[in-house]
Amino acid sequence: AQSVTQPDIHITVSEGASLELRCNYSYGATPYLFWYVQSPGQGLQLLLKYFSGDTLVQGIKGFEAEFKRSQSSFNLRKPSVHWSDAAEYFCAVGATNAGKSTFGDGTTLTVKP
Amino acid sequence: DTGVSQDPRHKITKRGQNVTFRCDPISEHNRLYWYRQTLGQGPEFLTYFQNEAQLEKSRLLSDRFSAERPKGSFSTLEIQRTEQGDSAMYLCASSSTGTGGRYYGYTFGSGTRLTVV
C-alpha cells in the first residue's frame, strides 16, 4: 500500500525567506513522486515530478524537490518565498502504471510581509 | 485546449436526492480520474478510466456512487440518495500515458463543491 505523510500542517515564513516543506512516502517499488499546489477555491496545479534519474528536480515557480530514497523523503524547497506562494501544498506518490496517486493531507503555507 | 472543465462548480442538494457531475478532460488525455476532497484533507481517490474502460474503483466507494466515460471523452459521476457525509469537493483530473505507461502527473479541474443539506 502506498501512503504519504506531510508532517507540517501549517508553516509560516517571511517573504524573501527560504522554504522547505517535508514529505515522507511509503511505497513498495520505485515511486513516482509529485508536488501540487492549491490556491483557495482552485484545483490543484502540478509543481514538479520525479520519476527516475537526477534526484534533484526543478519545477515551476522556482520550486525544487530532492528525492532521498534512504529517507523515503521528497521535500520541496524554494530559496526565496513570494507573497503569492501562500497556498496549500500537497505531496503525492503514484503508481508506475499511471494508476491512482495517493496524496498527503497537505501543508498550508502562510507568507508574512 | 482550455484544460479540464467541471460542471457545475457548486451544487446544493437535499439529502436523499441524486446528483450528477460532469468532467471534460484535456482532449488528448486518455486517462481520467475522480477524487474527493474534504476540508483539511488531501484528495482521496475514487475511480479512474483509461479511454472508456473503468480500471479501478476505490473500495471505500459505496454502491451509491457510479461513474461513466461512455465514449472515452467526458465523464459523469453520479451519487444516488445523497447523504450529508457526501458533502465535499469532487475533483476530476486527466493525464496521458507515455512509453511503458509512464504518466506525467495530473491536470486537475477546479472541482465541483457539493453541499448536502
Side-chain angles (χ1 to χ4, degrees):
Chain A
Q2 53 196 39
S3 66
V4 175
T5 301
Q6 293 182 246
D8 305 305
I9 296 173
H10 195 176
I11 283 184
T12 299
V13 299
S14 298
E15 189 169 15
S18 64
L19 171 69
E20 183 169 26
L21 302 182
R22 296 185 290 164
C23 171
N24 294 97
Y25 70 91
S26 173
Y27 188 68
T30 300
Y32 285 2
L33 293 161
F34 307 88
W35 276 98
Y36 292 86
V37 60
Q38 186 176 35
S39 298
Q42 302 296 314
L44 286 78
Q45 180 184 20
L46 180 66
L47 282 176
L48 49 77
K49 54 190 176 286
Y50 171 80
F51 298 126
S52 64
D54 193 347
T55 56
L56 185 64
V57 294
Q58 303 296 320
I60 62 171
K61 305 185 181 188
F63 286 92
E64 66 179 26
E66 186 171 13
F67 170 59
K68 293 185 177 180
R69 184 185 299 275
S70 61
Q71 298 177 19
S72 297
S73 70
F74 189 57
N75 293 349
L76 182 71
R77 300 195 294 247
K78 187 170 185 178
S80 178
V81 169
H82 188 263
W83 64 266
S84 61
D85 294 324
E88 191 157 21
Y89 292 80
F90 293 93
C91 180
V93 61
T96 53
N97 65 348
K100 68 180 182 183
S101 287
T102 298
F103 288 78
D105 285 335
T107 298
T108 300
L109 173 65
T110 297
V111 180
K112 293 190 302 183
Chain B
D1 199 324
T2 56
V4 178
S5 299
Q6 292 189 245
D7 184 70
R9 290 295 303 273
H10 303 275
K11 179 71 176 179
I12 300 174
T13 191
K14 292 183 178 179
R15 189 173 51 187
Q17 297 295 305
N18 299 344
V19 294
T20 300
F21 310 140
R22 177 180 171 123
C23 172
D24 287 88
I26 292 175
S27 56
E28 58 265 31
H29 285 180
N30 59 342
R31 295 243 172 156
L32 185 148
Y33 307 80
W34 286 100
Y35 280 79
R36 177 173 61 188
Q37 185 179 24
T38 53
L39 197 62
Q41 306 289 317
E44 175 189 29
F45 172 77
L46 295 179
T47 188
Y48 84 96
F49 295 83
Q50 176 163 305
N51 301 315
E52 66 276 9
Q54 188 173 19
L55 296 188
E56 187 174 349
K57 184 176 177 180
S58 170
R59 289 173 292 174
L60 302 175
L61 211 58
S62 81
D63 292 340
R64 298 184 296 107
F65 287 72
S66 62
E68 293 183 338
R69 195 183 183 197
K71 297 183 179 180
S73 56
F74 73 92
S75 175
T76 58
L77 176 69
E78 181 183 19
I79 309 174
Q80 296 182 327
R81 305 181 301 282
T82 52
E83 302 172 357
Q84 287 189 323
D86 297 331
S87 295
M89 175 76 86
Y90 289 82
L91 296 168
C92 176
S94 66
S95 72
S96 58
T97 52
T99 304
R102 171 174 288 194
Y103 73 117
Y104 302 99
Y106 297 157
T107 301
F108 278 91
S110 296
T112 294
R113 181 166 296 284
L114 173 66
T115 302
V116 182
V117 297

